[in-house]
Amino acid sequence: MQELIVAETAAQVRAQVAEWKREGLTVGLVPTMGYLHEGHASLIDKAVSLCDRVVASDFVNPTQFAPGEDLESYPRDFAHDCALLQAHGCHMVFYPAVSEMYAPDANTFVEIQSDMTAQLCGRTRPTHFRGVCTVVAKLFNIVTPDMAFFGQKDAQQLAVIRHMARDLSYDIKIIGCPIVREVDGLAKSSRNTYLDPQERQAALVLSQAVALGQRMAAQGERAARPVLEAMTAHIAAEPLARIDYVSAVDGETMQPVETLAPGVLVALAVYIGKTRLIDNFIVEGI
Ligand code: AMP
């Protein structure tokens, strides 16, 4: 197995990628905020299967956190991340300091000027996708990958990145990857580590609501409202859960829909205690 290259500067990444490109190799990028788990690993696996060289970024991006969110407490374990990346055949990890990514007076942002970033997670996190788009655009510019890999777990983020890549003419194929779950159904997330044992149990209402909605859609229910109501009722029965949203939206535009046509995204965000968790499913054809 090859040694994982650890790059802390953009210059180091650019030099290595230039060398790979001179050799005619294709490059995949997997952006992450670290504290890696099997969800991230599945993205690395997919990238390794499609690209000659794979770069993961490991950066807790401050511009996508609002004041009062969990930037300081976000879990970190770089040694563990490197072991996981190495085991999955990743070639290089970009691990920049905040100062490497943002000059003290950095004030240029990439922002989508439609309300696709104001729906769902954008309602409670109005500056979040501006931070995501900005850091992903910077990573695209630094790594210049042929393909970039994102999880369907963050379905709105995936749609936003596709939209941004199209609008800014990035010649990068955006690949969405399925949600990886714990054995009991909970979507894997670095933030699951915040949950105490009681909350961990309560968090199952998210994946249970997703399964319930999926079942109703598969049985032919085409009206969004009864599906969303059933999902909401299931979550509301859990005392530790507080719903942020349970919504059905167009899978590309994020605009609310009333009919569950194939491609519709049914997404939810729920606080379990202080921890905000998300989950979703895409309506399939019958
Ligand atoms: P994060 O480190 O949480 O910013 O996530 C980095 C990437 O991993 C994003 O594209 C996420 O959508 C993806 N990801 C996180 N959790 C999962 C999961 N459980 N299944 C699939 N992809 C995931």
Side-chain angles (χ1 to χ4, degrees):
M1 204 190 302
Q2 80 275 345
E3 263 305 294
L4 176 72
I5 302 166
V6 177
E8 296 191 1
T9 66
Q12 205 181 334
V13 174
R14 286 186 202 280
Q16 181 61 67
V17 170
E19 195 176 314
W20 286 335
K21 290 201 171 176
R22 270 197 302 277
E23 294 168 27
L25 301 172
T26 58
V27 176
L29 169 66
V30 180
T32 84
M33 296 207 300
Y35 211 70
L36 304 181
H37 50 66
E38 283 144 56
H40 301 109
S42 74
L43 271 54
I44 299 290
D45 292 343
K46 185 74 182 173
V48 166
S49 76
L50 293 178
C51 301
D52 299 317
R53 295 291 180 269
V54 173
V55 180
S57 59
D58 188 321
F59 179 60
V60 182
N61 172 38
T63 63
Q64 69 190 70
F65 290 78
E69 290 186 347
D70 57 344
L71 173 61
E72 279 80 27
S73 58
Y74 197 84
R76 295 158 209 247
D77 187 346
F78 186 60
H80 164 83
D81 292 349
C82 286
L84 181 144
L85 292 170
Q86 167 105 29
H88 285 265
C90 181
H91 300 85
M92 177 161 66
V93 59
F94 180 37
Y95 182 59
V98 172
S99 57
E100 176 69 14
M101 292 297 277
Y102 296 106
D105 62 346
N107 49 21
T108 305
F109 294 95
V110 177
E111 186 164 33
I112 295 180
Q113 296 282 319
S114 82
D115 87 340
M116 78 177 297
T117 52
Q119 301 290 337
L120 307 180
C121 291
R123 275 184 200 276
T124 41
R125 309 186 74 192
T127 58
H128 174 67
F129 289 108
R130 182 177 92 148
V132 169
C133 284
T134 302
V135 79
V136 171
K138 288 168 70 69
L139 291 169
F140 282 1
N141 293 336
I142 293 166
V143 180
T144 63
D146 299 282
M147 300 185 197
F149 299 80
F150 296 86
Q152 183 62 38
K153 151 119 191 313
D154 299 87
Q156 187 176 16
Q157 170 172 278
L158 174 57
V160 162
I161 297 298
R162 284 191 197 285
H163 190 95
M164 177 196 80
R166 186 207 65 185
D167 282 1
L168 297 186
S169 306
Y170 279 111
D171 187 17
I172 298 170
K173 196 164 176 201
I174 308 298
I175 312 274
C177 303
I179 301 176
V180 176
R181 298 179 178 281
E182 303 286 353
V183 180
D184 61 7
L186 179 67
K188 286 186 185 267
S189 166
S190 308
R191 289 191 167 98
N192 291 349
T193 183
Y194 296 148
L195 302 170
D196 69 26
Q198 213 190 341
E199 291 171 337
R200 173 63 183 78
Q201 190 59 30
L204 290 177
V205 290
L206 281 93
S207 54
Q208 288 165 352
V210 163
L212 175 62
Q214 249 170 338
R215 213 158 46 234
M216 290 175 75
Q219 284 165 359
E221 179 58 71
R222 280 295 167 258
R225 184 187 292 208
V227 173
L228 299 179
E229 282 175 356
M231 293 169 69
T232 300
H234 182 79
I235 299 165
E238 168 52 58
L240 292 179
R242 183 165 59 82
I243 293 174
D244 180 358
Y245 64 79
V246 181
S247 303
V249 298
D250 179 276
E252 281 179 19
T253 65
M254 304 288 112
Q255 296 308 303
V257 296
E258 287 177 4
T259 305
L260 298 184
V264 162
L265 168 68
V266 178
L268 51 92
V270 177
Y271 287 91
I272 301 292
K274 288 200 174 79
T275 305
R276 187 174 174 283
L277 300 176
I278 56 175
D279 205 338
N280 69 80
F281 70 96
I282 303 275
V283 177
E284 290 174 11
I286 6 175

